[in-house]
Amino acid sequence: TLVLPISNGKILLGMKKRGFGKGKVNGFGGKLNEGETIAEAAVRELAEEVGIKVELKDLSKMAELAFTFPHREDDSWNQKVHVFLVNSWEGEPKESEEMSVEWHDLDKIPFHKMWDDDKHWLPEVLKGRKVQGKFSFGKDNSTISSQEIIDMV
């Protein structure tokens, strides 16, 4: 899951401090726990990583993104990510052991510090377009080698 809080023309992002994506700026989210729905995982991860509470009804699903890393020896980085926007929550965002917190103007998103795919799909989502994307990374596991973005069905 990936959740992107939006408020007053700004987007809340954080820098990943450990694990997969360490050092990259991103939204908040993670993997499902056993028995969770995708939306429940998004709510839980947002609370764990940035300390804000979101109601399921306030999540707006905007994208389904598939990522492949064909040059890795194993497929542990391959994943499907469900992206949600949210503009209503309880609490103030705060840094956690896993993520920092940074507000950015919607027209000044630091794409140069993010995963290479973000600059392709995120602007579309922020315009209100619901998308499905497929992204394949090159030998450096950092740069996109192929991509496809279509409207979400």
Side-chain angles (χ1 to χ4, degrees):
T1 64
L2 183 67
V3 185
L4 301 163
I6 308 282
S7 181
N8 298 319
K10 295 183 180 281
I11 185 169
L12 185 66
L13 300 170
M15 197 230 354
K16 186 90 156 106
K17 297 187 324 189
R18 64 181 186 202
F20 182 75
K22 181 180 176 183
K24 294 201 181 285
V25 171
N26 205 346
F28 307 95
K31 297 177 180 162
L32 276 67
N33 286 339
E34 189 173 333
E36 276 184 321
T37 67
I38 292 165
E40 288 168 344
V43 167
R44 176 186 49 78
E45 287 282 351
L46 191 58
E48 290 175 1
E49 291 186 355
V50 74
I52 58 179
K53 286 188 73 165
V54 173
E55 299 289 331
L56 290 174
K57 66 178 178 54
D58 293 325
L59 291 174
S60 178
K61 186 168 179 180
M62 297 301 294
E64 290 181 7
L65 308 172
F67 300 102
T68 56
F69 294 83
H71 300 283
R72 283 187 48 88
E73 289 182 19
D74 64 27
D75 63 0
S76 64
W77 284 16
N78 296 348
Q79 56 192 288
K80 185 173 186 178
V81 177
H82 300 261
V83 180
F84 299 89
L85 295 183
V86 64
N87 57 24
S88 177
W89 57 83
E90 290 182 26
E92 287 298 316
K94 63 182 187 290
E95 186 166 339
S96 68
E97 290 182 15
E98 191 165 346
M99 297 286 283
S100 67
V101 292
E102 309 169 351
W103 284 104
H104 297 276
D105 291 332
L106 290 174
D107 61 351
K108 294 181 181 162
I109 295 172
F111 289 112
H112 63 286
K113 296 180 182 179
M114 300 171 77
W115 284 99
D116 193 36
D117 59 277
D118 292 344
K119 65 188 174 196
H120 300 286
W121 64 265
L122 184 52
E124 295 300 312
V125 163
L126 293 175
K127 290 183 219 170
R129 182 178 175 204
K130 295 183 177 190
V131 300
Q132 287 181 304
K134 292 180 184 177
F135 299 92
S136 183
F137 285 81
K139 288 183 181 180
D140 63 0
N141 293 316
S142 181
T143 308
I144 295 292
S145 61
S146 69
Q147 66 168 343
E148 177 185 13
I149 298 174
I150 61 172
D151 289 332
M152 192 159 49
V153 193

